[in-house]
């Protein structure tokens, strides 16, 4: 589907909501929607059941929640604004222990 700038972020030890997050971009709303449809189809084909999906009507940012895997598909401007890579990425400072 020619998704752009795809990044996988390991969430193990950072949160209990999922084990991994994939962030990618589409060039337009139509492209974002097409990528999302293909990901949803592949998840179902590979036995992940019916993932929860948010954002399909607008297709600025589509979130696909497949349980242990979260997939974010953005238009480039929206991705830049939210900057999830910085929030969840490897360059995130280590959580400080209270004590």
């Amino acid at each position: 589907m020619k998704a752009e700038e795809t990044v996988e972020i390991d969430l193990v030890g950072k949160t209990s909501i999922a084990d991994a997050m994939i962030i990618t971009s589409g060039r337009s709303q139509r492209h974002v929607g097409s990528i999302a449809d293909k990901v949803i189809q592949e998840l179902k084909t590979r036995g992940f059941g019916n993932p929860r999906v948010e954002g399909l009507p607008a297709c600025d940012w589509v979130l696909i929640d497949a349980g242990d895997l979260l997939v974010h598909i953005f238009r480039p401007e929206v991705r830049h604004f939210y900057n999830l890579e910085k929030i969840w990425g490897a360059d995130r400072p280590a959580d400080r222990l209270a004590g």
Side-chain angles (χ1 to χ4, degrees), residues 29-79:
Q29 290 170 316
R30 181 174 293 239
H31 190 207
V32 168
S34 295
I35 295 167
D37 288 341
K38 182 66 174 176
V39 169
I40 293 164
Q41 179 184 8
E42 281 296 316
L43 287 169
K44 289 179 182 178
T45 299
R46 294 175 188 244
F48 285 90
N50 290 320
R52 295 185 316 197
V53 181
E54 295 185 28
L56 265 181
C59 290
D60 285 327
W61 174 5
V62 176
L63 168 61
I64 302 169
D65 182 350
D68 290 335
L69 175 66
L70 299 174
V71 180
H72 297 272
I73 308 165
F74 291 98
R75 281 190 315 103
E77 305 83 25
V78 179
R79 182 176 181 172

Side-chain angles (χ1 to χ4, degrees), residues 1-7 22-28 31-36 38-39 71-74 76 79:
M1 295 301 305
K2 297 187 180 181
E4 299 174 349
E5 299 182 35
T6 302
V7 175
I22 296 175
I23 302 170
T24 195
S25 296
R27 293 179 302 278
S28 65
H31 190 207
V32 168
S34 295
I35 295 167
K38 182 66 174 176
V39 169
V71 180
H72 297 272
I73 308 165
F74 291 98
R79 182 176 181 172

Side-chain angles (χ1 to χ4, degrees), residues 3 16-17 31 37-38 61 71 80 84 86 97:
S16 61
I17 61 172
H31 190 207
D37 288 341
K38 182 66 174 176
W61 174 5
V71 180
H80 178 73
L84 293 183
K86 184 174 182 181
L97 297 174

